Amino acid sequence: MQIPPPLTLLPILISLIALWVAVKNYHRKNGIELRGAFQIASSRFCEDRYVSNILIENIKDRSTTIFDIYLKVGHSIYIHLIEFEENPLILKPYETYQNQFGPIEFYGFNLRKVDINDLLANHKLKKQLILSTSDGKYAVPRHIGSWSPVIEFFNNHLTGILQPVPSRYKNTDLGSNIKYIVEIIDQVDKTQIVPVGRNDHDIGVFKNFRLTKESLASIADLELFLLDRQIDGNLNVKDFSVYDVDAWREQNHREYREKTVKISADSFVRYHLLGRWFTYRQNREIRRKNKLLARPHR
């Protein structure tokens, strides 16, 4: 066999390199490819664990439009972290998006409080960031076709989409353990928000003094206690105001007055097999009732 001379192989090698570069450029500009991370935290400000930070990086040479960000827990639970529907997040090529979250009041599902602390603390239970994008559902870091959690619920009624319900005062996130807000105006007219928890006696919430158990008994007791500290010079401020967060909760979360229920993550078999069968039975029953209602009355 005669071996081709090197000059004959050179054009073939150049063509293969050009083909490889073309394929790489096509892959770089086509589809979605993201990578991301999240952190789950706990705080003295609230009873529930919560997502404290997310990071998403676009590693494609094309923009990606994001409408919603979820954290999927197990097979059937989606925690809705951010909604961008009115102003979608456009992640430019090689751009990074980061967001931090504060403590929450509780998780809500169908106007009921739910407890998922055990699920978020379970390191063996798979958790993954899920994005609703202009290209459909995207499970970081891999691409899946068109998707919406609402559509997934209609396909499987065991799907739960949970909403973290926060309390926020002037851009300060409050948690369920916060009982009062102290708004301070210092000597240079700068405003400071100090959240005060139910059990923050003997904790250094303020710099020069500590709260007592008696001072947290009511808003009047706390106001009087802080006024005494202002008079003796330990609270060196121009003015302060105390607000009762429990009264605010009573007004704004009154639809969540039922007792908190603890939910569990469904197994693969229960969610994908029994859930589908349960959904089929429910849909069939609804269709049957609709047919009865549609029949003309004699």
Side-chain angles (χ1 to χ4, degrees):
M1 175 184 286
Q2 186 176 2
I3 300 175
L7 292 179
T8 305
L9 294 175
L10 185 60
I12 299 175
L13 180 61
I14 292 175
S15 299
L16 291 175
I17 293 174
L19 177 62
W20 179 80
V21 171
V23 170
K24 290 290 288 184
N25 284 335
Y26 174 80
H27 175 73
R28 184 164 51 90
K29 292 179 177 291
N30 186 59
I32 301 177
E33 192 169 358
L34 308 171
R35 58 188 176 191
F38 62 91
Q39 293 179 336
I40 295 176
S42 58
S43 169
R44 72 179 181 89
F45 290 137
C46 66
E47 299 291 341
D48 296 276
R49 294 175 183 268
Y50 60 95
V51 176
S52 61
N53 182 68
I54 61 171
L55 178 69
I56 300 174
E57 181 183 4
N58 185 5
I59 55 178
K60 280 279 190 178
D61 190 16
R62 68 184 292 264
S63 297
T64 298
T65 302
I66 300 174
F67 301 109
D68 298 271
I69 300 178
Y70 297 81
L71 179 69
K72 184 177 182 181
V73 182
H75 299 288
S76 58
I77 296 173
Y78 294 91
I79 301 176
H80 197 179
L81 300 178
I82 310 178
E83 178 179 340
F84 300 106
E85 291 293 344
E86 295 183 359
N87 187 21
L89 171 65
I90 300 176
L91 205 57
K92 297 178 181 178
Y94 308 114
E95 188 177 24
T96 298
Y97 171 80
Q98 184 176 16
N99 201 335
Q100 293 183 338
F101 307 91
I104 67 170
E105 284 284 332
F106 52 84
Y107 291 96
F109 175 62
N110 287 343
L111 297 183
R112 299 195 69 178
K113 299 178 183 180
V114 296
D115 181 354
I116 57 171
N117 269 325
D118 292 344
L119 303 183
L120 293 179
N122 186 352
H123 298 294
K124 296 182 180 180
L125 195 63
K126 184 178 180 181
K127 305 170 188 69
Q128 188 174 29
L129 288 175
I130 305 292
L131 312 180
S132 177
T133 75
S134 56
D135 292 279
K137 175 184 178 181
Y138 186 84
V140 181
R142 61 189 179 91
H143 176 74
I144 301 177
S146 180
W147 171 88
S148 167
V150 176
I151 295 175
E152 191 153 324
F153 169 78
F154 285 115
N155 291 330
N156 191 329
H157 291 175
L158 292 186
T159 304
I161 305 172
L162 311 185
Q163 300 285 349
V165 180
S167 293
R168 188 172 291 112
Y169 181 78
K170 293 187 177 180
N171 297 322
T172 299
D173 288 308
L174 310 174
S176 58
N177 285 338
I178 298 302
K179 188 174 183 180
Y180 304 110
I181 295 170
V182 181
E183 184 172 356
I184 291 173
I185 301 177
D186 63 20
Q187 299 297 342
V188 293
D189 292 328
K190 184 178 179 181
T191 300
Q192 180 183 359
I193 306 301
V194 181
V196 178
R198 304 177 191 281
N199 302 309
D200 279 357
H201 52 87
D202 295 332
I203 295 178
V205 177
F206 294 91
K207 182 178 179 180
N208 297 324
F209 61 91
R210 295 198 173 190
L211 300 172
T212 64
K213 187 174 182 179
E214 292 74 20
S215 69
L216 300 178
S218 69
I219 188 171
D221 291 326
L222 182 56
E223 287 176 337
L224 183 59
F225 180 85
L226 294 177
L227 182 59
D228 289 340
R229 301 290 82 73
Q230 186 181 22
I231 293 173
D232 63 26
N234 285 318
L235 183 61
N236 185 22
V237 298
K238 280 187 177 180
D239 195 11
F240 68 88
S241 301
V242 181
Y243 301 99
D244 189 340
V245 181
D246 282 339
W248 181 90
R249 289 189 183 101
E250 183 70 19
Q251 176 66 27
N252 291 274
H253 296 323
R254 56 183 179 272
E255 66 271 24
Y256 286 99
R257 287 178 179 174
E258 292 189 28
K259 185 179 179 181
T260 300
V261 296
K262 180 170 287 192
I263 62 176
S264 59
D266 294 315
S267 66
F268 181 89
V269 172
R270 175 176 169 79
Y271 179 67
H272 288 286
L273 298 182
L274 296 182
R276 298 280 183 177
W277 172 247
F278 173 71
T279 303
Y280 166 76
R281 292 290 301 272
Q282 277 199 332
N283 290 340
R284 189 176 69 172
E285 181 65 18
I286 291 173
R287 287 194 297 268
R288 185 187 69 82
K289 291 181 179 179
N290 289 339
K291 287 181 180 179
L292 292 175
L293 293 174
R295 288 179 181 177
H297 296 285
R298 296 183 178 179

